[in-house]
């Protein structure tokens, strides 16, 4: 599990905890949440753990009891080692942002099945990642809830029968806020997502709709669907996790209460389904399902991602990198919410893209 102390990592460990006869944690990677990571080592006894740097590795070692047999590694090499850890059959990749790319490539190269939560990996390097996965015969199983939904809608279908992906978006916390008020949005407000409990980076991306744009690029690579056949539909209830339209006019949707555990569990147990005991959606008059088009004037990040997706090549990595820097600056209150798309636009304009190989 790469990113074991984050939201996806903790939810994954919750599933492992509930199905100990099915899953065994072999290796963990995290950045520097040492206290939580030490607890995870104590509970799951992984063979190896990797952290960000040598200093963090020493802090972890000091928290472990004498005789603990977990190997502590660090840095890019440490991450690549645990990502391709020999006794593991599947690598769940849930690190934040660009940091997830190299470990994921190492895991694919070593033949692990990939449960992919780190969408930036495909946004940055979709052509490299999908080519390596094809060459190694490795399956990439989506953990992102929308892509898990699309993957589920496509089971038993022929690729050529699918004509459109309908990618649902909650609209984030500012769906109903007037565009003129966007400049005053604070990190605290933007971190309050109405439906999903997630890490800081993805929550800000959800508030700007960049997350949905990154998901359009992710869907292009995962399902070999051109961007003009991927439509974003705002669905504030987050009950329909996405849909696929077929050429006979049928639309297949995947529904469920918004909880990441279902999508994580499906990637871990595919093609089986685990008895998670999740509540079903209410299906009563108190639970209307509503839909609208995204407002691109209010959320220009979505348009920027579509542009990068259409033009392809290195522009996708540049979009991702500029966004990551802009989101960090916003979280540190060094730039305004409305500056995020301006920074991304400006960076894209200075880049001369190199096409995908
Ligand atoms: Mg998602």
């Amino acid at each position: 599990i790469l990113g074991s102390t984050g939201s996806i990592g903790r939810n994954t460990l919750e599933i492992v905890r509930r199905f100990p006869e099915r899953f065994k944690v072999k290796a963990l990677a995290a950045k520097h949440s040492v206290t939580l990571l030490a607890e995870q080592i104590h509970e799951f006894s992984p063979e190896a753990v990797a952290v960000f740097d040598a200093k963090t590795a020493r802090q972890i070692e000091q928290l472990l009891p004498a005789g603990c047999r977990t190997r502590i590694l660090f840095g890019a090499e440490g991450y690549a080692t645990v990502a391709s850890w020999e006794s593991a059959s599947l690598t769940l990749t849930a690190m934040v942002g660009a940091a997830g790319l190299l470990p994921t490539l190492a895991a694919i190269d070593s033949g692990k099945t990939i449960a992919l939560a780190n969408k930036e990996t495909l946004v940055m390097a979709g052509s490299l990642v999908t080519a390596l996965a094809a060459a190694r015969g490795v399956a990439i199983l989506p953990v992102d809830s929308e892509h898990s939904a699309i993957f589920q809608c496509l089971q038993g279908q022929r690729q050529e029968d699918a004509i459109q992906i309908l990618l649902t978006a909650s609209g984030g916390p500012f769906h109903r806020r007037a565009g003129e008020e966007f400049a005053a949005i604070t990190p605290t407000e933007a971190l309050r997502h109405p439906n999903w409990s997630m890490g800081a980076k993805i929550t800000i991306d959800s508030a700007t709709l960049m997350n949905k744009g990154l998901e359009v690029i992710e869907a292009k690579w995962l399902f070999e669907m051109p961007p003009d056949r991927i439509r974003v539909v705002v669905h504030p209830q987050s009950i329909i996790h996405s849909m696929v339209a077929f050429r006979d006019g049928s639309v297949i949707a995947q529904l469920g209460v918004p909880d990441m555990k279902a999508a994580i569990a499906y990637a871990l147990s595919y093609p089986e389904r685990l008895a998670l005991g999740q509540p079903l959606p209410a299906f009563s008059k108190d639970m209307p399902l509503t839909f609208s088009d995204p407002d691109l004037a209010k959320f220009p990040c979505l348009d920027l991602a579509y542009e990068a997706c259409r033009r392809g090549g290195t522009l996708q990595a540049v979009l991702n990198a500029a966004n990551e820097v802009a989101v960090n600056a916003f979280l540190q209150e060094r730039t305004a919410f409305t500056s995020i798309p301006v920074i991304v636009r400006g960076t894209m304009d200075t880049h001369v893209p190199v096409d995908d190989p």
Side-chain angles (χ1 to χ4, degrees):
I1 301 171
L2 309 179
S4 68
T5 55
S7 173
I8 296 282
R10 284 180 276 123
N11 273 299
T12 304
L13 289 172
E14 174 62 32
I15 293 166
V16 172
R17 195 177 281 130
R18 283 171 58 185
F19 298 91
E21 71 292 351
R22 291 198 59 131
F23 305 114
K24 171 87 181 84
V25 175
K26 295 291 182 176
L28 299 174
K31 194 171 183 187
H32 42 42
S33 302
V34 286
T35 312
L36 179 54
L37 188 56
E39 284 170 24
Q40 292 177 347
I41 294 169
H42 180 71
E43 180 177 358
F44 295 98
S45 305
E47 293 166 16
V49 161
V51 291
F52 184 64
D53 56 14
K55 182 169 157 250
T56 314
R58 276 197 304 277
Q59 288 171 341
I60 281 283
E61 278 162 352
Q62 280 162 9
L63 291 173
L64 297 179
C68 174
R69 292 158 66 137
T70 301
R71 277 183 60 192
I72 309 295
L73 310 167
F74 61 87
E77 211 171 301
Y79 284 149
T81 303
V82 300
S84 53
W85 195 251
E86 177 148 23
S87 60
S89 53
L90 177 144
T91 301
L92 182 120
T93 150
M95 290 164 82
V96 179
L101 175 61
L102 293 177
T104 304
L105 282 171
I108 295 171
D109 201 31
S110 67
K112 309 296 177 210
T113 299
I114 304 295
L116 185 83
N118 174 265
K119 68 193 73 177
E120 290 88 345
T121 289
L122 283 176
V123 171
M124 292 165 68
S127 62
L128 298 177
V129 170
T130 53
L132 186 61
R136 295 285 182 274
V138 157
I140 299 180
L141 303 169
V143 171
D144 208 348
S145 62
E146 294 79 358
H147 303 74
S148 175
I150 296 160
F151 182 62
Q152 293 178 55
C153 295
L154 287 169
Q155 294 299 307
Q157 305 293 338
R158 300 185 317 159
Q159 170 85 20
E160 61 267 39
D161 290 341
I163 57 165
Q164 192 178 47
I165 286 172
L166 296 146
L167 194 63
T168 53
S170 68
F174 309 124
H175 175 50
R176 291 177 200 292
R177 188 171 300 196
E180 309 83 73
E181 295 169 25
F182 271 34
I185 288 171
T186 64
T188 313
E189 288 176 284
L191 285 170
R192 250 182 254 129
H193 195 280
N195 301 350
W196 295 97
S197 159
M198 307 176 287
K201 198 270 177 178
I202 184 171
T203 305
I204 302 303
D205 285 346
S206 298
T208 62
L209 289 202
M210 180 60 94
N211 181 55
K212 211 47 56 179
L214 300 180
E215 289 182 353
V216 169
I217 302 176
E218 183 184 12
K220 172 180 81 166
W221 291 114
L222 280 174
F223 307 112
E224 295 174 54
M225 191 67 90
D228 61 340
R229 296 216 253 141
I230 303 170
R231 178 181 164 194
V232 172
V233 178
V234 176
H235 165 51
Q237 296 83 16
S238 297
I239 295 294
I240 296 178
H241 298 148
S242 275
M243 306 176 261
V244 177
F246 295 89
R247 58 184 175 188
D248 61 355
S250 293
V251 177
I252 297 183
Q254 189 265 342
L255 287 73
V257 295
D259 183 325
M260 281 310 297
K261 277 195 275 299
I264 297 168
Y266 192 64
L268 295 182
S269 64
Y270 173 79
E272 291 176 40
R273 290 177 185 272
L274 299 177
L276 288 180
Q278 295 279 41
L280 297 181
F283 295 112
S284 65
K285 69 175 170 50
D286 304 326
M287 192 202 76
L289 299 181
T290 60
F291 308 95
S292 60
D293 288 319
D295 184 340
L296 295 177
K298 267 164 65 174
F299 300 102
C301 283
L302 179 57
D303 225 9
L304 294 171
Y306 261 109
E307 180 188 329
C309 188
R310 273 192 300 268
R311 292 171 60 194
T314 51
L315 196 59
Q316 299 164 107
V318 168
L319 166 98
N320 186 64
N323 180 62
E324 219 163 291
V325 172
V327 167
N328 262 328
F330 170 67
L331 283 169
Q332 295 163 6
E333 299 184 49
R334 289 190 287 113
T335 198
F337 186 77
T338 41
S339 298
I340 296 172
V342 176
I343 291 166
V344 176
R345 169 86 270 166
T347 312
M348 285 170 69
D349 286 345
T350 60
H351 179 63
V352 181
V354 178
D355 286 344
D356 286 314

